[in-house]
Amino acid sequence: MDGLSEFKNFYRDKSIEELQMETTQWKSNLEFQSIELAFLKNLLQANIYRSHNPNLFEILELFKQEIDDIHSEGVRILESVDCHIAHLEKEKQHKNSDGYQFYIETHKKLDYDITVFNEEIDVLKLRLFEFIEGTVI
């Protein structure tokens, strides 16, 4: 069974209002993570690192590229969340139950994508914190 299928097994149907609330929380968290990533990239560009590491420049550049890559993924997910928010609002106004299951499935997929994204960002931040702790002047 793939990861998404296993994830869906733990999901219960929610009302439109619950979906909207959760989606709004996702948006807020994604926006904050974008600010965190910008801060971390600026930190990597600061002149605060010991130069005794012969590969320091390359390591810093690799981290910056990872930050750019994960930021791009976050922007993609945020765009999907914004679209989902708009669709949920339309669904709430029309109270058309025909499309409700589609929005539930879309919500589940976004929930899974955000969970995976959060895990990836946490791993990157942990690696960055450990690197910075060992190399700051």
Side-chain angles (χ1 to χ4, degrees):
M1 185 180 278
D2 65 70
L4 183 55
S5 296
E6 290 177 16
F7 185 80
K8 285 181 179 182
N9 288 336
F10 297 105
Y11 205 89
R12 67 172 182 85
D13 289 349
K14 296 181 179 183
S15 69
I16 289 289
E17 291 78 16
E18 288 175 306
L19 296 177
Q20 286 178 308
M21 185 178 70
E22 187 172 39
T23 307
T24 301
Q25 289 172 338
W26 292 341
K27 181 176 179 171
S28 177
N29 289 339
L30 288 165
E31 289 170 342
F32 182 76
Q33 287 169 329
S34 179
I35 293 168
E36 281 183 318
L37 291 172
F39 170 79
L40 290 170
K41 188 169 181 183
N42 285 335
L43 188 60
L44 289 172
Q45 294 170 338
N47 190 18
I48 59 172
Y49 303 98
R50 295 186 197 132
S51 61
H52 72 276
N53 186 335
N55 298 330
L56 180 63
F57 178 76
E58 291 82 5
I59 294 169
L60 291 173
E61 290 303 310
L62 287 172
F63 272 126
K64 287 187 241 178
Q65 184 60 51
E66 280 187 70
I67 288 172
D68 288 343
D69 292 346
I70 204 160
H71 179 265
S72 295
E73 179 67 10
V75 167
R76 184 195 65 75
I77 293 172
L78 184 57
E79 288 170 355
S80 295
V81 166
D82 283 335
C83 185
H84 188 54
I85 288 171
H87 287 127
L88 288 173
E89 186 58 36
K90 285 180 185 176
E91 178 69 15
K92 184 178 177 183
Q93 290 174 358
H94 292 81
K95 296 184 181 185
N96 179 5
S97 61
D98 294 339
Y100 185 70
Q101 191 57 37
F102 169 76
Y103 296 116
I104 290 289
E105 292 302 317
T106 301
H107 196 83
K108 289 177 188 178
K109 172 75 169 85
L110 275 172
D111 197 356
Y112 178 79
D113 290 346
I114 289 169
T115 299
V116 170
F117 178 76
N118 287 337
E119 290 170 2
E120 290 173 356
I121 206 167
D122 287 347
V123 168
L124 174 60
K125 288 191 300 186
L126 180 62
R127 289 179 38 241
L128 271 169
F129 296 158
E130 289 172 348
F131 170 76
I132 292 170
E133 181 180 48
T135 58
V136 172
I137 296 175

